[in-house]
Amino acid sequence: MASLGSIRRSFAPWADPKAKPYIRFENVTKRFSDFVAVDDLSLSIYEREFFALLGASGCGKTTLLRMLAGFEQPTSGRILLDGQDLRGVPPYRRPVNMMFQSYALFPHMTVEANIAFGLKQDGMPKAEIAERVRQMLKLVKLEPFAKRKPHQLSGGQRQRVALARSLAKRPKVLLLDEPLGALDKKLREETQFELMDLQHDLGLTFVVVTHDQEEAMTMADRIAIMDKGRVLQVATPAEIYEAPASRFVADFIGSINIFEGSLVKESAGMTEIRDTSGADFRVAAPARAAPGDLVWLAIRPEKMRVSRERPPEAENALNGEVWDIAYLGDMTIYNVKLDDGRIVKASMINSMRRLEDALTWHDRAWISFPADAGVVLAE
Amino acid sequence: MRKLVSGLGGRAVIAVPYLWLFIFFLVPFFIVLKISLSQVTIAIPPYIPVFNWQDGLAGFFQKLGALSLDNYLWLADDPLYVNAYLSSLRIAAVSTLLTLLVGYPLAYGMARAPLAVRPILLMMVILPFWTSFLIRVYAWIGILKPEGLLNQFLMFLGLIDQPLIIANTTTAVYIGIVYSYLPFMVLPLYATLEKMDYSLIEAAEDLGCTPLAAFWKITFPLSLPGVLAGCMLVFIPAVGEFVIPDLLGGSGTLMIGKTLWNEFFANRDWPVSSAVAIVLLLILVLPIVYFQRAQARAQERAG
């Protein structure tokens, strides 16, 4: 896993201007009667990338995936796969395979027959099919279940059969529609890492649709955040978390505190903001706005600190009352109510928290953050 | 699950259908069976022996001795009956196949129609039931006869210059059966096709199937329970069908329902016609039992 991490770090074809995208959506729009599912969307996905389409239900992510698989045709725009325009290419001639959210296993066939289905369709010789099926069963650790029917399997096993079936034809691109959606939390976490290893070992391009940000953050090389048929930001998980491009993205990924205010001035890399309650903030982040403009300062809870006294080194601090404490084992989340009624969230790792003189409900407290903690978001 | 049928109330509820079957199926069946073992005579009722409460036990056993299998031997002897049975089975089988060929695309189209349109289509399939069956079959005489609507229309189009002879042939019987029994085929087919997960077809296409291949490998095998149910619902009543061959068929159309009617009303031979009915029942019961066993097994497998 250590080597995997370093490979992943060095894998960034999207940063290379000479790299050719493997999948390319060009101004793709998809309308269902009067509903616009995908709105003039352009997107590049590179070979061997683990790409996640993340968004709430109805944001168009599944439609995008289905257009790539060939089940839907774009109303306008085009989709290129390895330079080839996919318009008019039916699903059964596309070198992509899909793992369905419902798994869509054929109920009247055994696990073996399900996995062999696509190979038989291609007219592969019988001996080769048997060998490939054996490999696939081994890959997903289902060898003892080859003769079972789908209804005799657990949810996790079915998910693996679906995965094996979609991988059996060795597609250039594997599309996964909420691949872990039907699994319970523990199994989901295990499977996430299995999928990552699999994608890396097979050297495939994965495009996964999910509404689960944690899942996307864990698995993907890059994430596209979608809303109302548009892509709001495409970036690595770290970039999306640390430097969200808009309030929607900031709000969608993880929890975040957002202060509304106006830009006072920006100089020497420092941005000064006066928030609506009159507090002044100094942050080391570019504002991309003119003085007087409405801006938002976004700060993650884990970058906030709660203390009884104002820390002398803190560049920004607010005074309030401890309103709620949620103890989560590894960390504690404090909701501090400011004097104007706004609630600010701070999370502190419990190994760093001093247990003696711990803050408790209704204590007065300072909530502070350093200058490099936040991002400034303009309209 | 055992708790489900406990107590007197629970037993009483279960007893109702059994009682119903006993009174309206089993008792009449034994009456017909008894008549089939009797001898024809000119009397009221037209058969002997007639059991009577006044006979006492000795008289009962004496009359029981008078029952015989003569009528069944008679059926086996006369090729008329054997031919009628075989011809009925053939006509029923062919019409079942034709009904399936017409009904499957219909049911498929309905199941794939937009959700809002489906109830209307379903209504249109059921609608003919609101008119008397007899009248609808009569209407076909008007359509099929030599100077009927079909021939007039075809001659108007110039496709034929001699009227087609369809009325009073076996072809007309096929048309009548397919028309009359179509809903019994379409409804079970529609039920299985409608609840089928469409993503299975997409998965098949994704794995390299053309739409046609996906139909034969996925849709059709998964709709087999509906195909079987529809075929049984058409085949079983079609074997014993009387009205359609009587009205639309000709003298060449031999069907057991017509033979039975002749024995009963024309010859007034109740014992022979009862034997005809019992044999028909046996012929049909065997495949039904087999079918039910197969279904129970399939359900067990589906768990």
Side-chain angles (χ1 to χ4, degrees):
Chain A
M1 289 301 287
S3 63
L4 185 65
S6 59
I7 290 165
R8 284 197 176 258
R9 253 194 302 282
S10 62
F11 177 76
W14 51 88
D16 176 5
K18 287 197 295 280
K20 219 174 102 252
Y22 193 56
I23 301 163
R24 173 106 195 105
F25 290 89
E26 284 179 359
N27 307 96
V28 172
T29 297
K30 175 67 186 178
R31 255 183 232 104
F32 294 104
S33 57
D34 55 347
F35 173 71
V36 183
V38 173
D39 189 4
D40 191 27
L41 179 146
S42 296
L43 192 64
S44 295
I45 299 171
Y46 294 84
E47 200 162 4
R48 291 170 169 254
E49 195 176 357
F50 200 133
F51 194 90
L53 295 164
L54 177 62
S57 61
C59 72
K61 58 190 193 298
T62 300
T63 307
L64 204 60
L65 199 71
R66 289 173 58 80
M67 284 195 284
L68 197 48
F71 301 133
E72 310 282 357
Q73 292 297 323
T75 311
S76 65
R78 59 181 196 157
I79 304 170
L80 302 169
L81 177 73
D82 203 9
Q84 187 207 351
D85 191 343
L86 288 179
R87 174 163 289 279
V89 181
Y92 50 91
R93 292 226 188 82
R94 296 192 180 197
V96 300
N97 280 135
M98 177 143 157
M99 191 187 138
F100 289 78
Q101 184 174 10
S102 63
Y103 306 149
L105 298 178
F106 305 130
H108 57 305
M109 297 181 193
T110 60
V111 167
E112 231 171 20
N114 263 284
I115 298 174
F117 188 87
L119 305 171
K120 260 189 207 156
Q121 215 48 48
D122 284 0
M124 191 189 252
K126 268 206 167 117
E128 262 178 74
I129 292 180
E131 173 56 21
R132 182 76 64 85
V133 169
R134 205 188 51 73
Q135 280 174 14
M136 286 297 142
L137 284 169
K138 191 167 168 230
L139 188 72
V140 295
K141 304 186 194 81
L142 281 177
E143 290 117 318
F145 302 98
K147 305 282 181 208
R148 296 252 187 117
K149 292 269 182 79
H151 65 84
Q152 296 165 313
L153 301 175
S154 71
Q157 289 165 341
R158 262 180 251 176
Q159 189 260 2
R160 300 222 291 273
V161 177
L163 185 64
R165 187 181 69 180
S166 55
L167 283 172
K169 288 181 75 173
R170 308 230 168 107
K172 291 181 181 170
V173 180
L174 184 65
L175 311 175
L176 304 102
D177 188 2
E178 302 275 3
L180 310 175
L183 305 182
D184 60 60
K185 192 167 159 46
K186 206 164 151 49
L187 196 57
R188 197 158 62 215
E189 279 168 9
E190 282 170 28
T191 315
Q192 281 174 5
F193 289 106
E194 279 177 21
L195 274 181
M196 287 162 70
D197 288 349
L198 206 64
Q199 186 257 349
H200 179 257
D201 293 346
L202 298 174
L204 297 179
T205 309
F206 273 29
V207 181
V208 57
V209 152
T210 179
H211 69 276
D212 184 332
Q213 45 143 318
E214 221 174 284
E215 198 173 294
M217 301 275 287
T218 309
M219 298 194 294
D221 292 312
R222 279 192 308 157
I223 300 173
I225 308 272
M226 289 187 65
D227 182 46
K228 298 193 184 98
R230 290 171 169 274
V231 165
L232 299 179
Q233 188 172 10
V234 185
T236 63
E239 280 166 0
I240 284 195
Y241 191 80
E242 304 286 341
S246 64
R247 269 193 302 156
F248 182 90
V249 174
D251 222 17
F252 189 77
I253 297 279
S255 66
I256 200 157
N257 296 299
I258 294 181
F259 298 95
E260 194 179 303
S262 63
L263 183 68
V264 177
K265 66 171 182 181
E266 188 180 359
S267 64
M270 287 304 266
T271 304
E272 277 178 45
I273 294 164
R274 174 157 300 160
D275 113 312
T276 44
S277 68
D280 282 317
F281 297 126
R282 282 166 53 79
V283 286
R288 294 184 216 97
D293 281 358
L294 194 60
V295 290
W296 289 269
L297 177 61
I299 306 146
R300 296 283 176 196
E302 68 272 15
K303 303 238 165 119
M304 296 267 201
R305 205 182 139 196
V306 189
S307 54
R308 210 174 277 285
E309 305 297 331
R310 182 183 169 130
E313 76 282 3
E315 279 122 327
N316 303 288
L318 294 158
N319 194 245
E321 182 187 339
V322 176
W323 195 248
D324 240 329
I325 303 173
Y327 177 76
L328 301 180
D330 54 344
M331 62 172 173
T332 303
I333 295 172
Y334 294 92
N335 280 348
V336 175
K337 193 177 190 184
L338 301 182
D339 295 333
D340 60 3
R342 280 179 300 167
I343 302 253
V344 179
K345 194 176 272 192
S347 63
M348 290 178 77
I349 302 212
N350 283 340
S351 61
M352 318 247 305
R353 195 172 60 126
R354 286 180 311 149
L355 278 175
E356 71 273 14
D357 191 29
L359 283 162
T360 184
W361 276 265
H362 303 303
D363 282 355
R364 293 298 297 179
W366 283 91
I367 191 155
S368 56
F369 55 94
D372 59 357
V375 211
V376 181
L377 304 168
E379 193 58 62
Chain B
M1 281 310 279
R2 204 153 9 118
K3 262 281 175 241
L4 210 66
V5 270
S6 65
L8 209 62
R11 274 160 218 254
V13 167
I14 290 189
V16 171
Y18 279 105
L19 204 66
W20 179 275
L21 281 177
F22 179 77
I23 295 174
F24 294 107
F25 177 74
L26 216 55
V27 171
F29 171 76
F30 277 111
I31 292 173
V32 173
L33 183 66
K34 189 248 145 197
I35 296 174
S36 78
L37 298 171
S38 310
Q39 308 302 320
V40 68
T41 182
I42 297 171
I44 293 174
Y47 54 85
I48 48 166
V50 179
F51 289 118
N52 215 316
W53 291 114
Q54 283 90 48
D55 296 341
L57 213 55
F60 174 76
F61 279 113
Q62 195 200 336
K63 283 187 176 174
L64 209 59
L67 295 178
S68 74
L69 289 169
D70 287 358
N71 296 317
Y72 291 93
L73 296 174
W74 167 255
L75 291 190
D77 247 19
D78 193 333
L80 170 79
Y81 299 105
V82 179
N83 286 342
Y85 280 119
L86 290 178
S87 162
S88 287
L89 289 174
R90 200 188 60 243
I91 289 174
V94 171
S95 357
T96 303
L97 191 71
L98 292 174
T99 316
L100 180 64
L101 289 178
V102 177
Y104 201 105
L106 212 66
Y108 189 86
M110 282 167 64
R112 292 277 169 275
L115 209 57
V117 187
R118 282 184 214 170
I120 300 167
L121 295 174
L122 208 58
M123 197 66 195
M124 286 167 70
V125 169
I126 302 170
L127 206 63
F129 280 131
W130 292 7
T131 317
S132 156
F133 169 67
L134 203 60
I135 289 173
R136 282 182 288 132
V137 177
Y138 256 108
W140 275 102
I141 300 178
I143 296 169
L144 297 177
K145 64 184 177 187
E147 65 280 16
L149 288 172
L150 180 70
N151 278 318
Q152 281 183 12
F153 182 65
L154 289 178
M155 292 211 279
F156 166 76
L157 288 181
L159 290 173
I160 51 170
D161 32 57
Q162 288 293 314
L164 297 171
I165 304 301
I166 303 174
N168 302 322
T169 65
T170 310
T171 310
V173 176
Y174 289 142
I175 291 173
I177 293 179
V178 170
Y179 164 76
S180 305
Y181 289 99
L182 194 61
F184 296 109
M185 181 64 84
V186 169
L187 294 179
L189 277 175
Y190 170 74
T192 40
L193 287 171
E194 200 242 352
K195 68 176 186 227
M196 218 179 78
D197 182 3
Y198 190 70
S199 69
L200 294 177
I201 315 291
E202 286 187 339
E205 288 187 23
D206 187 60
L207 291 167
C209 275
T210 59
L212 193 67
F215 173 82
W216 285 115
K217 295 192 166 168
I218 309 298
T219 312
F220 189 70
L222 286 176
S223 69
L224 276 180
V227 171
L228 212 56
C231 286
M232 290 305 245
L233 285 177
V234 174
F235 180 76
I236 292 165
V239 173
E241 183 57 53
F242 162 71
V243 175
I244 297 170
D246 191 56
L247 293 182
L248 297 177
S251 51
T253 315
L254 203 56
M255 279 191 86
I256 200 68
K258 236 169 108 177
T259 311
L260 196 145
W261 195 90
N262 278 332
E263 290 298 345
F264 198 87
F265 291 102
N267 294 349
R268 279 186 65 80
D269 192 338
W270 288 25
V272 165
S273 55
S274 296
V276 168
I278 296 285
V279 171
L280 181 62
L281 190 73
L282 290 178
I283 290 173
L284 293 179
V285 154
L286 293 176
I288 294 171
V289 169
Y290 174 77
F291 166 68
Q292 291 220 319
R293 285 249 177 99
Q295 268 213 324
R297 270 203 306 276
Q299 264 177 359
E300 239 167 68
R301 271 203 306 276

